[in-house]
Amino acid sequence: MSTSNVDSPTLNPHPPTSTMREQGDNNNGSDPQSPSTEEQQHQLEYNGLLTKSLPRKNCCTWKVAAVFLFFVAGALVVTWQMLPAEDIVAKYIPQFDEPAVVYSGPEAGMSDGSSWSSGGNSKDDGEGGDGGMGIDNMPTDPSEDGSVVEAGRTVPSFMQCPEGGGLCCNGNAENCMLRVDQMLFGMVHNSMSSEEGGFTFGYNQKYELERALIAGYRGLNLDVCNCKGVIQFCHNICDLGERIPEEVFSNTLEFLNEYPSEVVVLLFQASTETGITVWNDLHSEMKNVDGFADMIYTHTFGGEWPTMGDLVQQNKRIIVFYFNGGTCYDEGCPPTFNYFYNYAAETQYESASLADLENFEYSCKITRKPKENWLPPVFLVVNNFVTPPDEDVAAETNSRTFLADRLTACGNMNRMRPNFVYLDFWNQGATAELVQYANAKFAQQLGR
């Protein structure tokens, strides 16, 4: 993501306060009647020229102070009873405690066959460890036939809906009560750019985006390029790797048809290095895939976002956002396309190292958001990657402890619950599981 930052809003300066003109003693003999000494003193007091003013009577006696403190204490007690502190916390502070039951299945998306360990000698625990959870570079458990299960080949157990049917949303029945702007989504950054997909260098992912969907990720970020009049998903350079939109949309639709409980967010970014992106042309590519465009949700700006359950029941299970320029036909942009920064505030996206991400004052600062005098943002985007992409760094940033600390810090700093967490190398770490746990935890808090 490489667009320029939005300037922080500045407050209009207050108009200068007018000052009274100082009036000196203009008695030069022309005034037939000079003012008396008492009149001169009053005149000086009026103009603020006396260096010593008369003492003012203090209205704040101990009795007044006692009454004031009594009413303040009463108001605090009433507030505490009517709106408990835990409800205030639940409103915007994310709860990212570690799950009580450690997920140990091989299909969660660990890189190179690594899996979870509950031992105390992991990277997350630091030296010596404290018995917490972390990632050890261990081979996955073999499947029944002795083969190794690869990342994104099997649906994780934490993403499977309960047996027996009933309404289920993104792998958990509890998610159905949450509105879209209350959900947290793992957003696969530059999801088209993968080593497996043939991108030659600078790729952000190891495996293709279809496998990310299987592994539990429900947000896909795609760069849109105009390559000599042909719409492609590339990473700013047309000849060094691309994905064909019709293929991506067909595969995404196949996934959604196979899993009718799932809702996917597509976030399109116009490439600034190729030809001009026309969003209507991308929408035409969607309509070329039978059934895809019919599944896109249409949102009314300023309206309340639907619950996940509403989207599943209405079969409007694709949400589309776009940003970074582009243009539309004279008749306007497609009604199902939502300009992302009408709704979202985003943290710093130019982190060059792990140290930059660990500096929360820098990395949690909002760099893009709705324009001034616009509606306040309802989504918080937390960027959790470094540039250039680094798989070793991703193993740390996507780990359970690092990600939990980062989401909590950015949420508290901006007084919003995170809704999207951008990540590189989704096959590393535990982002999908942590996202699922955080959503379930929040739904439980709201349901109390």
Side-chain angles (χ1 to χ4, degrees):
M1 302 169 65
S2 58
T3 58
S4 60
N5 296 350
V6 173
D7 295 334
S8 301
T10 56
L11 297 176
N12 291 327
H14 293 291
T17 304
S18 61
T19 58
M20 291 184 295
R21 186 186 66 231
E22 294 184 0
Q23 299 179 13
D25 183 3
N26 294 324
N27 182 20
N28 56 7
S30 61
D31 189 350
Q33 184 176 358
S34 299
S36 65
T37 302
E38 183 178 358
E39 289 174 338
Q40 289 178 353
Q41 181 174 344
H42 283 308
Q43 185 67 30
L44 290 173
E45 287 180 337
Y46 178 80
N47 292 317
L49 298 180
L50 288 179
T51 60
K52 183 178 181 180
S53 60
L54 296 176
R56 296 181 179 179
K57 184 179 179 181
N58 187 358
C59 65
C60 186
T61 65
W62 70 268
K63 293 182 179 180
V64 174
V67 172
F68 174 76
L69 292 176
F70 174 80
F71 280 106
V72 169
L76 290 175
V77 171
V78 171
T79 302
W80 179 263
Q81 294 298 322
M82 298 296 292
L83 189 60
E86 63 182 21
D87 291 344
I88 300 175
V89 170
K91 182 177 180 182
Y92 68 88
I93 298 182
Q95 301 294 308
F96 294 118
D97 301 327
E98 294 173 344
V101 180
V102 183
Y103 171 67
S104 58
E107 69 272 18
M110 305 302 161
S111 69
D112 301 324
S114 62
S115 65
W116 285 112
S117 166
S118 58
N121 57 355
S122 66
K123 182 184 297 185
D124 282 351
D125 294 329
E127 289 190 23
D130 58 3
M133 289 175 288
I135 298 177
D136 286 330
N137 195 19
M138 298 165 50
T140 60
D141 296 330
S143 61
E144 293 182 359
D145 62 2
S147 62
V148 174
V149 179
E150 291 185 275
R153 296 298 190 190
T154 308
V155 175
S157 58
F158 59 81
M159 290 296 298
Q160 294 177 3
C161 292
E163 296 181 2
L167 188 62
C168 184
C169 305
N170 281 20
N172 192 333
E174 293 177 306
N175 290 338
C176 296
M177 68 172 289
L178 297 177
R179 298 192 312 269
V180 174
D181 57 325
Q182 294 173 324
M183 285 283 292
L184 175 63
F185 296 87
M187 180 67 69
V188 182
H189 178 223
N190 290 337
S191 61
M192 72 288 160
S193 175
S194 70
E195 181 183 26
E196 184 181 47
F199 282 69
T200 54
F201 71 92
Y203 46 82
N204 300 85
Q205 310 299 332
K206 185 176 182 67
Y207 300 121
E208 291 188 304
L209 59 89
E210 290 85 353
R211 292 174 65 174
L213 291 173
I214 296 295
Y217 294 93
R218 297 295 176 262
L220 300 177
N221 164 234
L222 296 135
D223 283 7
V224 183
C225 302
N226 182 345
C227 298
K228 298 180 179 180
V230 178
I231 298 296
Q232 297 178 353
F233 297 137
C234 78
H235 199 192
N236 290 329
I237 303 176
C238 294
D239 298 327
L240 296 179
E242 68 279 330
R243 289 295 306 270
I244 306 304
E246 185 173 348
E247 177 189 47
V248 171
F249 297 149
S250 296
N251 293 342
T252 302
L253 181 64
E254 181 180 356
F255 169 82
L256 291 171
N257 287 335
E258 186 171 354
Y259 299 98
S261 61
E262 304 307 288
V263 176
V264 172
V265 177
L266 301 179
L267 177 55
F268 297 109
Q269 175 179 348
S271 171
T272 58
E273 305 298 326
T274 59
I276 297 175
T277 296
V278 180
W279 297 115
N280 306 79
D281 293 342
L282 184 63
H283 186 245
S284 296
E285 295 282 349
M286 295 176 177
K287 291 191 293 185
N288 289 336
V289 177
D290 187 32
F292 186 91
D294 296 333
M295 204 178 288
I296 304 177
Y297 165 71
T298 302
H299 184 68
T300 301
F301 180 70
E304 184 175 75
W305 285 88
T307 65
M308 296 291 288
D310 291 336
L311 295 177
V312 170
Q313 290 178 316
Q314 297 167 13
N315 199 29
K316 295 294 184 179
R317 295 184 290 121
I318 302 172
I319 302 173
V320 174
F321 294 103
Y322 71 96
F323 72 102
N324 205 39
T327 187
C328 295
Y329 294 153
D330 291 340
E331 59 267 25
C333 295
T336 53
F337 280 41
N338 305 282
Y339 179 63
F340 193 48
Y341 295 110
N342 280 347
Y343 303 94
E346 181 185 10
T347 65
Q348 177 61 251
Y349 56 86
E350 294 181 324
S351 294
S353 65
L354 186 63
D356 283 349
L357 289 177
E358 291 174 323
N359 180 0
F360 294 146
E361 289 188 6
Y362 168 79
S363 65
C364 290
K365 182 180 179 181
I366 297 300
T367 57
R368 292 188 282 200
K369 62 181 179 179
K371 59 186 178 182
E372 285 190 76
N373 303 320
W374 209 247
L375 294 177
V378 296
F379 298 121
L380 175 61
V381 182
V382 176
N383 288 311
N384 194 46
F385 59 87
V386 298
T387 303
D390 189 318
E391 189 169 6
D392 291 334
V393 172
E396 175 68 17
T397 60
N398 299 348
S399 67
R400 190 186 306 268
T401 299
F402 185 95
L403 183 58
D405 290 345
R406 176 158 175 74
L407 291 175
T408 301
C410 291
N412 291 342
M413 179 173 169
N414 295 293
R415 301 183 69 83
M416 293 179 67
R417 281 184 58 82
N419 300 100
F420 299 100
V421 53
Y422 268 95
L423 73 154
D424 285 344
F425 299 102
W426 59 262
N427 58 295
Q428 294 276 9
T431 303
E433 184 188 8
L434 186 61
V435 164
Q436 186 73 318
Y437 178 80
N439 286 330
K441 186 75 171 179
F442 190 47
Q444 293 166 9
Q445 290 174 335
L446 295 181
R448 284 201 300 237

